[in-house]
Every structure is written in C-alpha cells, then in structure tokens.
C-alpha cells in the first residue's frame, strides 16, 4: 500500500473516531476550561502557541525523569494555529530538558480533521528531532490510541529505528499511566478524563453522564475569523469594517468585477486555510501571490460564514421570515426598518457589502452575457449572512 493510500485510510479512521465521539458527547453539563498558566507572560517568545496549553511540563516520572505532555484536545482548528510555530515551541520546550533523561506523554484524544497537522508536517517534525532529542527520550506513552495511530505508524515505519520504536508504549486507559508516572502530577485535560470514563463505561456496558467539551482558548488580538464584529472593532481602534473584509472587497473591486463565476467558484482548501492563518496572525496578505481571483472571493464568504453571530443577527430571524406576511407595497419599508434596527457595526458592514454587491451586479449585467444577476448575488450572500434553516430559506 502506498503512502497516499495510507494517508487516505488514516483520514477515514479519524472521521470514524469523530463520529463515535459525537455520539458519546451529547452536551449535558458544562465543565469550565482550566485557567491559563498564571506565569505565562504575553511577552513569552511563543505566547501565540503556549497559551493553548498544548505542551506542558508535568512533574517527574517514577524514575525522577522530567515529563512533558502533548494534549491534542487543546489544539485549535488548523487555520488558527501556525504549525511551524508549534514545532518550534515543542523544540524550545524540549531543549530545556534534553540534556538529561526525559519522558513524553501524548494524549491522542481530541485530534480531529479540523485541527490535525498535515502528514508533511509530521514527517518534517520527526526529521527535526535529531539524535540530541531522541537519545535521552526514555519513554513515549501514547494514551488512548486508535486505528488512526496504527495507520500513522505504518506510514512512518521506514523512518523509525528499531531502538526508538522500543521506547513507544500504548496505553488504553489513564489508569495505566499510574504504573509508570506520578499520576497526580499530570495536568490531564478534563475532556481527556471524560473520554477515558466513556471508554470504561462502554467496557462495562453503560455510559456515564456526558458533558460539554470546554470552549477553545481566547482568540489572538489580531484574530479575524471565528470572532465577533465587536471583538474585531475593539482590537482595531474602533474601525467598523474588519480588515479582512476591507482588503478582499478592495482587491475584488480592482481586479474581479468582470470575472465569470466570481462568487460561485471554489478555491484550494489548503490555500484558504493558509490565508486565514495569515489574517489571524495579523500578517499581510498579497492576493497577487496566489494568482487566483477566486481566493479573495472565497475568503470574503468564509469570513461571513464563520461569524459567531450572523451579520443579520439571530434577533432579526423572525422579523425577516415575517416579511412574506407583509403587504407587497409595504415590504420595502419593512426591510428598511429591520436593517435600521441592526447594531451599528452590523449595519455599517451590511451597507458596505451591499454597495459592493451592487457594483458587482452593475459591472456583470453590462456584459454581453450577465455572469450573476441581481437576485442571484443577493441570495448567495444572504446565505452567508444568515444560517437559514431549509424551511426558512424556502420561505424567503
């Protein structure tokens, strides 16, 4: 079986794990997330990664060796985490202890399609850890391994020496750690503990009460995707138009107004993730570098789709659906009332978008073959501004 086949198989197994977890975690009670390390300073050289608590020092093992833990459940979605920085931070942490014997505990639970590093990253990571790191690593404990881990092992087998392979121990339950480590010193995430309880419950034929997974760590100050308009406004000196929105619209005005299928075509998923990372980290984005006009268009739609509250707000939902019950001659007036009742930043952003879409329509309708007519443009973006139910979308 080729490496590509193994990678596809690994992805399938990961999706199976996610589906099984979704059935177990039916959100009943809430467990608050652990507080950030009070000693973690915002000036830490890897604060953007360290704040998530993915890598932690966890006391000593039974032989007095330092223990470093890696928590997959603490990894945010890939577009919110620079994996190159994660690798650098891992090496930065290990560099403080590799001169002496040390132990690593890898908590696999929580690795999902949305947050897993690429296979190329994993291969690079393994090669980055030269003899200095491998020599004094005395044990690597993989907790809650799944078929995904087994497949991954087959992919990396040609790279892994027999000597290193003997250091790896698979542990199905947290209690197995007690034979090797000082369990009480381990700062095990609550969701990992809960997963362990679920596994034991299944073994006994019943499931314990389920809990809600704690929310992710606070966003970066420069975050653009997955945060509220208010958050972006507060972090950008009161600017009402988010930087990502302003830049994509500006670029599309200059170079995309006459492009066929501008808001209907897709773009490379990996490229979109890469661009999201740049925006979230406050770095500059030059769309000319990608040579694909559909990338800024997709980024614009993705920004709207990932807003925690839709641009037209949850509060307006019933009002918008009720427009169909208003007399035809009064519907425009009613629409104006609803829009004018939006929060200030929602209203300004909506007006900014509508003006841009109207410009798109004027340019495309002037062409011999209109690319997108006025109704299509509106419907397409309304779906991004508000997560309609199928019933609601049909009504509108």
């Amino acid at each position: 079986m080729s490496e590509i086949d193994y990678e596809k198989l690994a992805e399938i197994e990961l999706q199976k794990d996610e589906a099984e977890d979704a059935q177990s975690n039916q959100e009943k009670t809430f467990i608050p997330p652990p507080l950030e390390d009070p000693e973690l300073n915002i000036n830490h050289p890897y604060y953007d990664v360290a704040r998530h608590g993915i890598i932690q020092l966890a006391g000593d093992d039974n032989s007095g060796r330092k223990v470093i833990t890696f928590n997959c459940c603490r990894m945010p979605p890939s577009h919110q985490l620079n994996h190159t920085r994660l690798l650098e931070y891992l090496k930065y942490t290990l560099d403080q202890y590799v001169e002496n014997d040390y132990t690593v505990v890898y908590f696999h639970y929580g690795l999902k399609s949305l947050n897993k590093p690429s296979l190329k990253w994993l291969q690079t990571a393994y090669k980055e850890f030269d003899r200095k790191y491998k020599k004094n690593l005395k044990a690597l404990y993989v907790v809650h391994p799944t078929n995904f881990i087994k497949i991954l092992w087959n992919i990396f087998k040609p790279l892994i020496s027999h000597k290193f392979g003997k250091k790896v121990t698979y542990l199905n339950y947290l209690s197995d750690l007690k034979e090797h480590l000082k369990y009480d010193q381990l700062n095990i995430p609550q969701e990992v503990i809960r997963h362990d309880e679920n596994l034991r419950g299944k073994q006994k034929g019943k499931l314990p009460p389920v809990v809600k997974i704690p929310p992710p760590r606070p966003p970066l100050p420069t975050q653009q995707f997955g945060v509220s308009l208010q958050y972006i406004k507060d972090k950008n000196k009161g600017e009402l138009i988010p930087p990502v929105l302003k830049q994509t619209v500006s670029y599309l005005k200059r170079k995309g107004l006459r492009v066929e299928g501008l808001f209907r075509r897709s773009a490379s998923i990996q490229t979109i993730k890469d661009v999201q990372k740049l925006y979230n980290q406050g770095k500059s984005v030059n769309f000319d570098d990608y040579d694909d006009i559909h990338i800024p268009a997709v980024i614009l739609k993705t920004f709207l789709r990932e807003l925690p509250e839709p641009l037209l707000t949850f509060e307006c939902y019933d009002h918008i659906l009720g427009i169909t019950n208003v007399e035809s001659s009064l519907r425009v007036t009613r629409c104006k009332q609803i829009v004018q009742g939006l929060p200030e930043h929602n209203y300004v952003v909506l007006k900014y978008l509508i003006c841009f879409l109207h410009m798109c329509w004027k340019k495309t309708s002037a062409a011999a073959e209109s690319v997108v007519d006025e109704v299509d443009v509106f419907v397409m973006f309304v779906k991004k501004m508000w997560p309609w139910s199928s019933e609601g979308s049909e009504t509108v």
Side-chain angles (χ1 to χ4, degrees), residues 181-199:
L181 308 171
K182 296 175 182 177
Y183 186 86
D184 294 337
Q185 293 184 6
L186 297 175
N187 184 18
I188 303 174
Q190 285 295 316
E191 48 266 60
V192 172
I193 294 174
R194 192 62 201 171
H195 177 64
D196 190 79
E197 292 173 353
N198 283 339
L199 291 177

Side-chain angles (χ1 to χ4, degrees), residues 205-225:
K206 65 176 183 178
L207 288 173
V210 294
V211 297
K212 182 177 181 179
I213 300 300
R217 293 285 178 175
L220 290 167
T222 52
Q223 193 93 10
Q224 295 283 293
F225 293 87

Side-chain angles (χ1 to χ4, degrees), residues 378-392:
F378 176 75
V379 171
M380 192 184 311
F381 271 85
V382 160
K383 289 179 179 178
K384 305 300 178 187
M385 292 185 245
W386 174 247
W388 303 100
S389 63
S390 57
E391 179 184 355

Side-chain angles (χ1 to χ4, degrees), residues 58-68 102-105 107 138-143 166-186:
D60 304 321
D61 65 9
N62 291 342
S63 301
R65 300 177 292 221
K66 290 296 179 185
V67 176
I68 293 94
Y102 70 100
T103 294
V104 172
V105 180
F107 293 106
K138 297 307 176 184
L140 168 59
Y141 297 107
V142 179
V143 183
K166 290 172 66 176
K167 299 179 180 182
V168 181
T169 302
Y170 296 103
L171 304 175
N172 292 322
Y173 301 105
L174 291 176
S175 58
D176 298 335
L177 283 170
K178 296 177 181 178
E179 300 176 19
H180 311 278
L181 308 171
K182 296 175 182 177
Y183 186 86
D184 294 337
Q185 293 184 6
L186 297 175

Side-chain angles (χ1 to χ4, degrees), residues 8 18 29 37 39 49 53 60 96 152-153 165 175-176 180 187 215 266 298 318 351 374 378 383:
K8 289 179 179 177
E18 290 177 37
T29 55
D37 183 355
E39 296 181 6
V49 180
D60 304 321
Q96 301 172 56
L152 211 60
W153 183 262
S175 58
D176 298 335
H180 311 278
N187 184 18
S266 59
V298 173
D318 290 332
K351 183 178 179 180
E374 188 173 21
F378 176 75
K383 289 179 179 178

